[in-house]
Amino acid sequence: MPARPLPPPPDRTPSARLAEGPLRGLVGYQLALATIVTDQVFDDRAGRELRRVEFTILALVHANPDVTARQLARALAVTPPNIALWLERLVSRKLVARTRSPHDARMQHLRLTRSGAALVERTMAALVEAEQATLEAHMSAAERAMLAELLHKAAMARRRAEPG
Amino acid sequence: MPARPLPPPPDRTPSARLAEGPLRGLVGYQLALATIVTDQVFDDRAGRELRRVEFTILALVHANPDVTARQLARALAVTPPNIALWLERLVSRKLVARTRSPHDARMQHLRLTRSGAALVERTMAALVEAEQATLEAHMSAAERAMLAELLHKAAMARRRAEPG
DNA sequence: TATTGTTATACTCTATAACTATA
DNA sequence: TATAGTTATAGAGTATAACAATA
């Protein structure tokens, strides 16, 4: 029979065509490789204006007006000192506004400024579009939605490190 | 009607119950949160012996005997200087053996030592078991397999930074 | 001249501990 | 005594540039 170019074997890493072996079914490993793609998407479309953590903080504050730093830290599994550092940068860029809680002066409530809201909305739209454009060659819209849904379920398995 | 405890609204972050808003469908965001879970799994079950990158390198070398450092760097999107650092640590722990290529003396082929192979096999089994135990309350085995499959598809969308 | 791998180095990000202010 | 937030600081990880050896 005539020679023909062999199709590359399945179950191989992107970019280097290495066999994955038992890594193939390991969720943690596949997460790490998929994250390379979404990190590229973010860096291309938003990396000049925001870090990934910064974007996520802005988006969560946008969806949860008057959230506190502690709540953000828990949601993102970032330590309180580090949340304080990121918030400091966002506040100094006038993207986030802090106000002391009238009920408990230890807490401060966070809100986006007008420019913060504009930035996060613009960035969100760009990222949704870029994710779609990047992934659509390899998976359908339904598969993308299913992926986000399954990731959400997996994320719910997080062990609680701190109370409340 | 009688008061009853309200069920928590859906589409909220783990651990802090923040609304996700449009983040809900953003694959990159859900990846980051799901990664928190698998990182916990890894740290609990393997973190005392190996870093995540180290485990992945060992597993890829195991599945691809005589792979080169450059191939590993491409597969994992790690820069060549950093792969050299990780390999140096693994070689000094006698988990990986380097041999110069007879065909091209610039390259070196990597293989696991006996103890490297034993370690990666033991760790792999522990991680598979721990992932299952951690995720099974929130998703079925079929959903886990689907998740790994969709992640693999997403990972294939990686943009090539360097030639072949 | 290009490629593999390494060394040197600076930078970013993170974690831990200690501190202030409030409850 | 506990909690929210911050400051100080050390460590881990990463990236860039420059270099050596080989092709």
Side-chain angles (χ1 to χ4, degrees):
Chain A
M1 46 170 88
R4 74 174 81 171
L6 290 171
D11 299 1
R12 312 216 136 223
T13 62
S15 292
R17 321 248 101 223
L18 299 183
E20 291 184 323
L23 286 172
R24 182 64 197 274
L26 201 66
V27 175
Y29 165 80
Q30 297 293 351
L31 274 174
L33 290 208
T35 298
I36 296 170
V37 172
T38 54
D39 282 358
Q40 283 179 346
V41 165
F42 186 93
D43 292 344
D44 283 354
R45 298 297 292 252
R48 283 166 197 169
E49 293 184 295
L50 291 171
R51 299 288 175 182
R52 282 184 287 279
V53 199
E54 292 177 317
F55 165 72
T56 309
I57 291 173
L58 291 182
L60 285 178
V61 174
H62 199 38
N64 300 273
D66 288 329
V67 68
T68 68
R70 175 74 54 167
Q71 288 176 295
L72 284 179
R74 285 194 185 114
L76 300 176
V78 170
T79 58
N82 289 330
I83 274 285
L85 288 174
W86 290 117
L87 285 175
E88 175 53 35
R89 295 190 211 184
L90 294 171
V91 167
S92 73
R93 286 173 67 184
K94 300 204 192 316
L95 299 172
V96 168
R98 279 187 284 221
T99 61
R100 287 254 157 234
S101 166
H103 305 298
D104 183 338
R106 291 173 300 182
M107 299 193 232
Q108 39 190 230
H109 295 299
L110 304 168
R111 281 179 175 267
L112 295 195
T113 63
R114 189 172 289 269
S115 65
L119 175 57
V120 76
E121 284 168 13
R122 173 160 48 86
T123 306
M124 180 73 71
L127 289 177
V128 168
E129 178 201 306
E131 268 193 3
Q132 176 172 346
T134 301
L135 295 178
E136 71 186 355
H138 294 83
M139 54 200 307
S140 68
E143 285 177 316
R144 285 203 313 279
M146 167 84 75
L147 174 56
E149 193 59 32
L150 292 173
L151 288 170
H152 185 82
K153 286 191 182 184
M156 294 307 286
R158 191 192 315 173
R159 171 168 43 71
R160 300 286 282 270
E162 306 143 86
Chain B
M1 41 169 88
R4 73 176 80 172
L6 291 171
D11 300 3
R12 312 218 136 221
T13 61
S15 293
R17 323 247 102 225
L18 299 183
E20 293 185 319
L23 286 172
R24 183 63 198 274
L26 200 66
V27 175
Y29 164 80
Q30 297 293 350
L31 273 173
L33 290 208
T35 298
I36 295 170
V37 172
T38 53
D39 283 357
Q40 283 178 346
V41 166
F42 186 92
D43 292 344
D44 283 354
R45 298 296 292 254
R48 282 166 199 170
E49 293 183 295
L50 290 171
R51 299 289 174 180
R52 283 185 285 281
V53 200
E54 291 178 317
F55 165 73
T56 309
I57 291 173
L58 291 182
L60 285 178
V61 174
H62 199 39
N64 300 273
D66 289 329
V67 68
T68 69
R70 175 72 54 167
Q71 287 177 296
L72 285 178
R74 285 194 185 115
L76 300 176
V78 171
T79 58
N82 290 331
I83 275 284
L85 288 175
W86 290 116
L87 285 174
E88 176 51 37
R89 296 190 211 185
L90 294 171
V91 168
S92 72
R93 287 174 66 185
K94 301 207 192 311
L95 299 172
V96 168
R98 278 187 284 219
T99 60
R100 287 255 155 234
S101 166
H103 305 298
D104 183 337
R106 290 173 301 185
M107 299 192 232
Q108 41 191 230
H109 295 300
L110 303 168
R111 279 176 177 269
L112 296 194
T113 62
R114 191 172 287 270
S115 66
L119 175 57
V120 76
E121 285 168 12
R122 173 161 49 85
T123 305
M124 179 74 71
L127 290 176
V128 168
E129 179 202 305
E131 267 192 4
Q132 175 172 346
T134 301
L135 295 178
E136 71 187 355
H138 294 83
M139 53 200 306
S140 68
E143 284 176 317
R144 286 202 312 279
M146 169 83 76
L147 175 56
E149 193 59 31
L150 291 173
L151 287 170
H152 185 81
K153 285 191 185 186
M156 295 306 288
R158 193 195 310 175
R159 171 167 44 72
R160 300 288 281 272
E162 306 143 86

